[in-house]
Structure formats: C-alpha cells, structure tokens
DNA sequence: CGCGTTTGACCCGCGC
DNA sequence: GCGCGGGTCAAACGCG
C-alpha cells in the first residue's frame, strides 16, 4: 500500500545493493587525485557496536556534514532522511522494496535522520547560559527578546544506534545538562551540550521504548571547532575505526571531498599518514576475514526496510510525524 | 578544585 | 486560561 508520500517519509527506503556492503567500517582511502576510494577493511568496530550493518538511506550529505560537523558516531547508519528529502524528493538510493521487513533484533544498525530545522518543538533554545553571569534581570530580558525574535532551530540529525551504551563516543566532549522522562517511554531522554566554548551544539540521547536496544541520538547544530578527538588518541581511534556513517552508506557513491573534511574533521588528505590512522589500518589483520563472515551472516539475517511508522514509534517527537 | 552528572524547578509553545 | 510535554537552568552532589 505504498504511495509516493509514504516513500518520501520512509527513511528506511534502502538501497539493497549498498546494504550488502554494509559491514565495512570506515571505507575510504584517498589517492593522490583526492578521490575517495573504498578501503573497507581493516577497521575494527568499536567495542559497543557488535554488528556492522550499515544501511544506506539518503540525504543531502553536504547538509548533513555542514550541520553535523562531527564524524564520529560509533555505530552504523541505517538510513537517513532530511527535511528536504521528505518534502521535495524521495529518498534516493531507493531501489529497495519497502515491503521487505527487517529483523531488527538480529542486527546492530543506526539510522540517520535529519530533523526539521523548524520543528514544532519550542523555539526557546537559548545559547548556553553557562557562559553568562546569572543576572536574573538580564536573563528575563533576554528571554523576552528571544520571545520576540523566533530563533530558528539548527538542523537536527537523529542516529539510531543499536547499542547497549547510551553515550556513544563521537569524538566530541559533551556535558549533560538535563534529563527528562519521555512520554510513553520508560526510558529517559538526556540532553547534552558540547563542552567547547562558544559551541552550541547539542545532542539528545534516548532509548527507543519499542526496541530498547536502539539508542536514538539526535544532534543539533554545528561544531565550530575541531573534533577534540583529533588530539586524543583513543577517541579519534574510536571514531576512525567506527563503521559509522562510512560503511555502505557511501560505498557506492562518489563521496565529496569536503564531506569527509567536514564530517570527519580529523580526517585530512594526509590522514593516511596519520599515525592513528595508520594504526587502525594495520590494527586488525584478521578483520577482513571476520568481516566477510559477518557480511554473510548479515545478509542472511538482515532483511531491509522498516516503514516510517516504526521510525515514528522510535522517535515520538520526530517532526515529520503525522498524527492520523 | 575543576569538571561532569543529577534532579527538581522553571520556561515556553501548543492544543483544547 | 489551563494543562501538558519538551527543553533548559542551576544548585547540589560526586568523582578524580
């Protein structure tokens, strides 16, 4: 019972072909001509992501990279949509039939959703107040001012990650500033803010009540600084080793240069000479073989596609949600 | 002591 | 206007 609208809103409208390459982790190297080529082996998934099925949805990756200037999610992409996609174009790479079902219990996967930049949620997002002096009066004045000028929300991207760990290492440092109970969910939602000064990037972390093994991480804003992980071995290692967004997602496409530059701030053209990078390239000599086995298992286990309703269930506040 | 987390209070937008 | 739910604040607390 598929119609165009359903397709627009279906973030799990995958490219089956790309899925089949999905178990690769960070899949690119770069040649002298600055072309990205898959280097799908040799990366080890982070310890908390036991499965490496990366599914490809679609989105404007430039948009994604701009708004989401971090590389570093440590899990796997199922799919992605963005607001424009929803409105104007069907999810690309959509050769997959949406009728197939996914055995979500058998895989570890992650979806990327770009949320609407002007969701119906409150517009009162403030710059971190921590930087301000706690002057009560000025606070109220500011609130009033903000009331007048409706602040536009930054684009948001939600990552669905199958993980037992809530706080997935993404290379940046976050400070938790709130936690709220989520309606109709036994799992709370946590609010984090990038600890870097003047960086207003926020993220929310919650667990799907439908599938508690899925962690929903929503990023909002754009980092205005480099990923601290580039300066810290372990985190960067985790990032770079992550199958993350760089599994099958981009395997079949020509990944824009600036995408990696922006999305993986720690990854420069010379990164293949970076000691950390090299470390990961050479870290796991058996990984290719393991990966092949994994791939075979995955291809048996994973059947693609969920409908948008599932995503809505997982993300009750997802802005595209349309109440009947 | 600095930094991060916890948690209750508060603010705000929205629907009724 | 009121209630609800999402989001944020900030004091208290914990930890290294």
């Amino acid at each position: 019972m598929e119609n165009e609208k359903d397709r627009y809103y279906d973030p799990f409208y995958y490219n089956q072909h790309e899925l089949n390459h999905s178990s690769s982790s960070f899949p690119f190297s770069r040649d002298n001509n600055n072309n990205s080529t898959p280097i799908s082996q040799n990366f080890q998934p982070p310890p908390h992501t036991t499965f490496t099925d990366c599914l490809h949805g679609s989105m404007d990756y430039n948009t994604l990279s701009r708004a989401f200037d971090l590389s570093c999610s440590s899990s796997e992409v199922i799919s992605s949509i963005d607001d424009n996609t929803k409105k104007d174009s069907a999810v690309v790479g959509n050769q997959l039939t949406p009728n197939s079902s996914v055995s979500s219990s058998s895989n570890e996967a992650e979806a990327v959703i770009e949320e609407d930049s002007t969701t119906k949620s409150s517009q009162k997002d403030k710059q971190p107040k921590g930087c301000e002096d706690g002057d009560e009066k000025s606070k109220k004045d500011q609130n009033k001012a903000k009331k007048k000028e409706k602040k536009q929300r930054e684009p948001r991207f939600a990552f669905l990650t199958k993980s037992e760990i809530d706080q997935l290492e993404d290379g940046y440092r976050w400070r938790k500033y709130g936690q709220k109970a989520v309606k109709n969910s036994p799992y709370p939602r946590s609010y984090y803010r990038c600890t870097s000064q003047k960086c207003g990037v926020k993220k929310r972390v919650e667990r799907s009540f439908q599938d508690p093994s899925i962690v929903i991480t929503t990023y909002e804003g754009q980092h205005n600084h480099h990923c601290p992980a580039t300066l810290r071995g372990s985190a960067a290692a985790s990032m770079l080793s992550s199958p993350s967004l760089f599994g099958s997602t981009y395997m079949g496409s020509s990944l824009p240069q600036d995408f990696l530059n922006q999305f993986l701030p720690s990854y420069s053209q010379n990164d293949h000479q970076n000691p950390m990078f090299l470390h990961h390239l050479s870290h796991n000599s058996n990984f290719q073989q393991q990966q092949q086995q994994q791939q075979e298992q995955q291809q048996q286990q994973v059947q693609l596609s969920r409908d948008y309703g599932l995503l809505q269930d997982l993300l009750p506040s997802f802005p595209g949600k349309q109440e009947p």
Side-chain angles (χ1 to χ4, degrees):
Chain A
M1 218 42 107
E2 177 197 1
N3 56 33
E4 279 303 301
K5 179 174 157 241
D6 291 334
R7 186 184 302 180
Y8 292 168
Y9 282 80
D10 185 0
F12 297 100
Y13 211 65
Y14 308 122
N15 184 323
Q16 175 74 65
H17 173 71
E18 294 186 5
L19 173 73
N20 289 339
H21 294 76
S22 61
S23 65
S24 57
S25 36
F26 188 78
F28 295 99
S29 64
R30 206 157 290 175
D31 61 23
N32 293 333
N33 296 325
N34 204 27
N35 296 319
S36 298
T37 56
I39 53 168
S40 60
Q41 299 87 16
N42 298 324
F43 285 94
Q44 186 173 32
H48 55 280
T49 54
T50 61
F51 183 74
T52 56
D53 195 46
C54 302
L55 310 182
H56 178 48
S58 76
M59 70 187 310
D60 177 349
Y61 293 120
N62 288 326
T63 301
L64 174 61
S65 61
R66 274 196 308 272
F68 183 51
D69 185 11
L70 50 82
S71 58
C72 324
S73 171
S74 38
S75 43
E76 302 79 14
V77 176
I78 291 176
S79 176
S80 64
I81 58 175
D82 67 6
D83 196 49
N84 292 334
T85 300
K86 287 187 290 186
K87 284 174 187 157
D88 302 323
S89 62
V91 172
V92 296
N94 54 357
Q95 297 164 6
L96 174 71
T97 162
N99 296 327
S100 54
S101 62
V102 75
S103 56
S104 60
S105 60
S106 65
N107 64 358
E108 298 242 350
E110 174 177 339
V112 182
I113 303 104
E114 180 183 1
E115 296 188 358
D116 194 343
S117 59
T118 54
T119 67
K120 71 166 198 155
S121 56
S122 85
Q123 304 288 327
K124 68 180 165 83
D125 273 353
K126 307 170 181 104
Q127 292 302 322
K129 259 195 196 168
C131 308
E132 306 165 2
D133 294 332
D135 185 356
E136 202 72 23
K137 188 183 172 187
S138 65
K139 242 189 267 180
K140 287 181 180 176
D141 289 345
Q142 285 184 3
N143 285 339
K144 283 181 185 176
K146 278 162 191 160
K147 221 174 172 182
K148 285 181 183 176
E149 50 176 72
K150 273 203 169 184
K151 189 176 180 180
Q152 270 210 336
R153 218 182 237 294
E154 299 279 351
R156 298 194 292 183
F157 301 93
F159 285 68
L160 272 59
T161 307
K162 197 129 183 174
S163 171
E164 294 180 2
I165 300 174
D166 288 342
Q167 251 280 52
L168 300 171
E169 176 62 62
D170 58 12
Y172 289 92
R173 298 180 62 212
W174 302 92
R175 164 176 291 195
K176 188 175 185 178
Y177 66 89
Q179 177 171 307
K180 284 285 289 187
V182 179
K183 189 187 174 190
N184 296 328
S185 171
Y187 306 101
R189 173 184 299 141
S190 298
Y191 299 88
Y192 297 87
R193 185 177 288 135
C194 182
T195 58
S196 180
Q197 265 194 339
K198 297 177 181 176
C199 180
V201 176
K202 286 173 279 190
K203 76 172 181 180
R204 305 181 313 200
V205 178
E206 61 188 289
R207 196 167 280 279
S208 165
F209 77 99
Q210 286 236 330
D211 185 351
S213 64
I214 291 180
V215 176
I216 304 167
T217 307
T218 307
Y219 292 90
E220 177 178 343
Q222 179 178 9
H223 292 284
N224 57 11
H225 56 94
H226 290 295
C227 179
T230 61
L231 306 175
R232 299 178 308 159
S234 61
S238 156
M239 286 163 43
L240 291 173
S241 66
S242 167
S244 185
L245 299 167
F246 304 99
S248 63
T249 302
Y250 305 117
M251 291 272 298
S253 61
S254 58
L255 191 73
Q257 171 67 48
D258 62 343
F259 173 80
L260 277 179
N261 289 343
Q262 293 188 54
F263 213 88
L264 246 189
S266 60
Y267 179 70
S268 69
Q269 292 186 45
N270 295 324
D271 264 347
H272 51 282
Q273 298 172 358
N274 181 321
M276 288 191 302
F277 194 72
L278 282 175
H279 169 72
H280 284 275
L281 282 174
S282 59
H283 178 63
N284 193 349
S285 59
N286 294 324
F287 188 63
Q288 181 175 358
Q289 189 176 351
Q290 295 170 8
Q291 220 174 31
Q292 193 173 350
Q293 292 174 358
Q294 266 189 350
Q295 271 190 6
E296 290 171 3
Q297 288 179 2
Q298 291 162 17
Q299 288 172 17
Q300 290 174 356
Q301 291 174 353
V302 177
Q303 298 182 5
L304 286 179
S305 161
R306 301 174 183 180
D307 57 23
Y308 191 58
L310 173 58
L311 181 67
Q312 291 173 342
D313 289 339
L314 294 172
L315 260 182
S317 60
F318 187 69
K321 180 163 184 168
Q322 294 179 335
E323 301 295 344

